[in-house]
Amino acid sequence: MKILARHLTADLFNCQNKQLNDNEQILDMLKKILQELEMQLISCSSENLDNGHNVLMLIMSDGHITLHVYPERKYVALDVFLCREDAEPDKLGQAIRSFFKPDKIKTTILKRGGFGTAKELKPKVKTRVAPLRKIHNTGAKVIRILARRNNNAQ
């Protein structure tokens, strides 16, 4: 199947980086990543919106990166679109994730412009949870199960 582009979307939850309000630092990080991956930057911009979130956008010769950063929620919505069939947007995604240090990540990778069957076009979705968060979630589940058993026994 011939595709035109690859598209990665990611939700980064409970980001541990304290610089979520610093658009300049985030743009510097993105520019550095593009330079390391030898991707040509055409333009970039950032805006602080009234509703408490920041938008950053980078236009490259072969795609774009868009970030919506919600500092109060410690949440980042990431969008990487690369206009090549052999593109690897996850390389960009991994570098960006390492900057924000989220506890939980939901990633979707799409093949764009493919004209194959519906089965071939189904997106791949991955969810990752940081190890400490997994322990906390498991502990909370165990406590709920024990509490239910205790209530049922009474």
Side-chain angles (χ1 to χ4, degrees):
M1 168 177 71
K2 175 94 170 121
I3 62 168
L4 300 176
R6 294 191 184 265
H7 190 172
L8 175 137
T9 62
D11 294 305
L12 311 178
F13 299 97
N14 197 23
C15 294
Q16 301 303 306
N17 188 318
K18 303 295 184 205
Q19 304 303 318
L20 293 176
N21 274 319
D22 191 341
N23 286 351
E24 287 305 313
Q25 185 177 3
I26 296 169
L27 282 174
D28 288 345
M29 172 270 303
L30 293 168
K31 290 175 188 176
K32 182 180 175 186
I33 292 169
L34 292 179
Q35 189 174 27
E36 289 171 1
L37 295 174
E38 299 178 355
M39 299 179 125
Q40 182 184 0
L41 178 64
I42 294 173
S43 69
C44 63
S45 65
S46 67
E47 294 291 329
N48 295 324
L49 302 180
D50 292 338
N51 58 358
H53 87 276
N54 307 324
V55 178
L56 300 96
M57 184 160 196
L58 287 83
I59 306 295
M60 304 166 313
S61 60
D62 58 348
H64 73 264
I65 299 172
T66 306
L67 291 169
H68 289 265
V69 181
Y70 296 81
E72 289 183 17
R73 296 179 182 215
K74 297 182 180 182
Y75 169 75
V76 176
L78 167 65
D79 181 70
V80 177
F81 185 91
L82 298 177
C83 305
R84 292 188 329 262
E85 183 176 4
D86 63 343
E88 297 180 87
D90 202 40
K91 283 186 178 180
L92 277 165
Q94 288 172 354
I96 294 167
R97 287 190 298 263
S98 69
F99 175 82
F100 288 110
K101 300 175 181 67
D103 277 351
K104 183 178 179 184
I105 305 160
K106 180 181 177 189
T107 304
T108 304
I109 299 173
L110 302 165
K111 295 176 183 177
R112 303 299 302 267
F115 301 98
T117 65
K119 184 177 181 181
E120 292 172 327
L121 297 176
K122 186 176 179 182
K124 295 178 183 174
V125 178
K126 299 181 211 170
T127 302
R128 298 183 193 131
V129 179
L132 288 176
R133 189 74 170 155
K134 285 182 185 177
I135 292 169
H136 173 74
N137 290 345
T138 302
K141 289 177 187 175
V142 169
I143 290 169
R144 282 194 300 270
I145 291 168
L146 292 174
R148 273 189 239 136
R149 284 185 183 171
N150 202 12
N151 287 338
N152 291 340
Q154 293 175 358

